[in-house]
Amino acid sequence: MYLADGRPAPATSVPPGGRRTGRSRRVRAAVPSTVLVLGTVSLITDISSEMVTAVLPLYLVAELGLSPLGFGVLDGVYNGVSALVRLVGGRLSDRGGGAGHKAVAAVGYGLSALCKPLLLLVHSLPLIGAVLAVDRTGKGLRTAPRDAMISLAAEPAARGRAFGVHRAMDTAGALCGPLVAFVLLRVAAEGYDAVFTVSFCAAVLGVVVLLLFVPGRALPAAEGTAGPASAGPTSAGPRTPAAPRTPVRALLGRPEIRRLTACAVLLGLTTVSDSFLYLTLQRRLDLPAGWFPLLPLGTAAAFLSLAVPMGAIADRIGRRRLFLAGHLVLLCAYGLLLAPLDGGTALVCAVLILHGAFYAATDGVLAAATADAVPEDARGSGLAVVQTGQTAARFVCSLAFGAAWTAWGDHFAVLAAAVGLALAAALSARMLRPAGPAAGPDSPSEHTS
């Protein structure tokens, strides 16, 4: 376990009947300090990144006159370039052991921070695209090592909750970022320049917190202390550690990793990016430009409220099952965008709440499900494999959605995404169906109260 005090938490035992004592429940309820510190880093960093994300769609489309197809290309770059380097980040962090996770994550956070002031200097679309690509490279480098640190710090039976706590703190930053951008756009003479400057300062602070307060070495939480939720599909028998440099092909040779990756790709191909969803809402309701940065607040507020409860539910009913349910929630949001309903505040709130619930049920939950199926010494690489598949698929979705919007309009583009998501969810449900009572965390018989 990654520990600030250098001492691993005492292992908890489970009596034969499967019930834990009050003391062991309290141990499970405690969130490791490493998770809290990494959550703080993500909170600060998300204030920085979401300030930019909140104004970027309107800046590119309204200020620079970019077409939906052109924005789809840049949005795909912003959300998809990280897929190209996630595998690199995961492999490098595994090679360095415990210290490697922190070092690679620090490089990723630092690289993204350096890109923020560059947005003040570039104004042509090719240069903006290049800066966004470098920024997303930093995100790609840091994501898998950070999630590996979280999964190693938490007891396997409580990984869903640990990821839920981290994602809640991360989302608190996502909630504050658009609000800060909104205030700056209204009070600053050069609104966009002020947003990019403050974003840079916040990003630097996040790197400082990471370097000073996240421990550099790790002792993984004992797998043997895991409760029912840790019994993943690959843990029916003794766990065989992989070599520290497990290649991607070997990881994909593991059935559960292969199935999780395939489902993440299928569902990612029909997951409309946040920016396009907000642009659809803005155009349907004809919202003033100054109010656009507030739309992500609704998603962030719902995500923040539901992340920890959803993580706890995932530990109880099964992480893969909740991951699929989250995409059905997103399908409901698409349905509201397509329905011939009167617009207004109620529609905006409903869509954004469903959007936030989708993230709460899928983001950290997928990472926790992946950690169940990956050996400790290849944790960063395994997480990167699944995340890379998902991110690359969302990159393709951004391109396809932007092209469909340009050719046939936003209504047709959302309809196509909804039909595709329904089909992808049905296929994924078949692929992730538990094989039997010993199939792991998604088998109800595997869970105790």
Side-chain angles (χ1 to χ4, degrees):
M1 180 184 300
Y2 284 79
L3 297 167
D5 58 6
R7 294 180 294 109
T12 59
S13 60
V14 181
R19 292 186 177 274
R20 290 173 170 80
T21 65
R23 180 178 181 277
S24 64
R25 287 195 189 99
R26 288 193 298 272
V27 172
R28 273 190 61 193
V31 178
S33 59
T34 296
V35 175
L36 297 177
V37 175
L38 288 170
T40 302
V41 173
S42 293
L43 185 155
I44 296 170
T45 302
D46 246 34
I47 291 175
S48 168
S49 60
E50 291 302 321
M51 287 174 62
V52 174
T53 301
V55 302
L56 196 61
L58 203 62
Y59 177 65
L60 295 175
V61 174
E63 290 289 317
L64 300 183
L66 198 63
S67 70
L69 176 58
F71 176 74
V73 173
L74 279 184
D75 187 62
V77 168
Y78 191 69
N79 292 291
V81 163
S82 61
L84 302 177
V85 293
R86 288 195 185 207
L87 291 174
V88 175
R91 290 293 302 279
L92 289 176
S93 66
D94 286 337
R95 291 188 178 194
H101 292 143
K102 177 180 177 179
V104 175
V107 171
Y109 280 109
L111 193 60
S112 293
L114 292 175
C115 288
K116 299 300 188 293
L118 294 180
L119 290 172
L120 295 168
L121 306 176
V122 297
H123 298 93
S124 67
L125 294 181
L127 289 178
I128 291 175
V131 171
L132 295 180
V134 176
D135 177 78
R136 294 298 90 182
T137 297
K139 180 176 176 61
L141 285 175
R142 70 181 183 249
T143 300
R146 181 204 64 201
D147 284 352
M149 286 189 280
I150 295 170
S151 70
L152 291 169
E155 290 186 7
R159 279 191 186 127
R161 187 175 186 274
F163 275 102
V165 169
H166 173 269
R167 294 314 196 251
M169 297 180 71
D170 180 273
T171 307
L175 190 64
C176 295
L179 186 59
V180 174
F182 171 75
V183 172
L184 290 174
L185 284 179
R186 294 182 71 87
V187 303
E190 299 292 335
Y192 290 111
D193 288 351
V195 168
F196 299 148
T197 301
V198 175
S199 173
F200 169 66
C201 296
V204 171
L205 178 60
V207 176
V208 171
V209 173
L210 174 72
L211 293 175
L212 293 182
F213 297 106
V214 174
R217 299 190 63 81
L219 288 173
E223 297 283 347
T225 65
S230 69
T234 60
S235 58
R239 189 182 293 270
T240 302
R245 300 185 182 184
T246 305
V248 172
R249 283 181 298 178
L251 287 168
L252 289 175
R254 303 173 72 92
E256 288 309 309
I257 291 293
R258 188 167 60 249
R259 282 195 286 266
L260 281 170
T261 303
C263 291
V265 169
L266 274 175
L267 295 166
L269 286 171
T270 54
T271 301
V272 175
S273 75
D274 297 359
S275 298
F276 270 128
L277 186 139
Y278 301 144
L279 281 173
T280 302
L281 273 178
Q282 192 266 342
R283 291 201 172 192
R284 176 169 177 177
L285 302 178
D286 196 25
L287 294 175
W291 291 93
F292 185 85
L294 293 182
L295 291 179
L297 293 181
T299 295
F303 192 178
L304 175 62
S305 301
L306 296 172
V308 176
M310 287 292 186
I313 291 171
D315 289 337
R316 179 172 293 275
I317 72 170
R319 292 153 192 166
R320 294 170 294 175
R321 185 173 298 162
L322 187 63
F323 177 71
L324 289 173
H327 284 84
L328 297 181
V329 171
L330 180 63
L331 185 60
C332 292
Y334 290 172
L336 288 180
L337 289 174
L338 294 169
L341 302 173
D342 291 334
T345 305
L347 176 63
V348 173
C349 291
V351 171
L352 296 180
I353 289 172
L354 289 172
H355 195 221
F358 155 70
Y359 277 119
T362 58
D363 189 13
V365 172
L366 178 60
T370 304
D372 293 335
V374 181
E376 294 168 1
D377 49 12
R379 189 65 52 80
S381 299
L383 287 163
V385 166
V386 177
Q387 292 167 352
T388 295
Q390 182 183 61
T391 306
R394 290 181 177 179
F395 171 79
V396 174
C397 182
S398 284
L399 297 180
F401 191 89
W405 185 335
T406 301
W408 299 293
D410 59 319
H411 187 273
F412 177 86
V414 175
L415 177 62
V419 173
L421 180 56
L423 295 175
L427 289 173
S428 298
R430 289 184 61 85
M431 284 191 288
L432 294 181
R433 182 180 300 168
D442 292 278
S443 175
S445 62
E446 291 291 310
H447 293 271
T448 60
S449 59

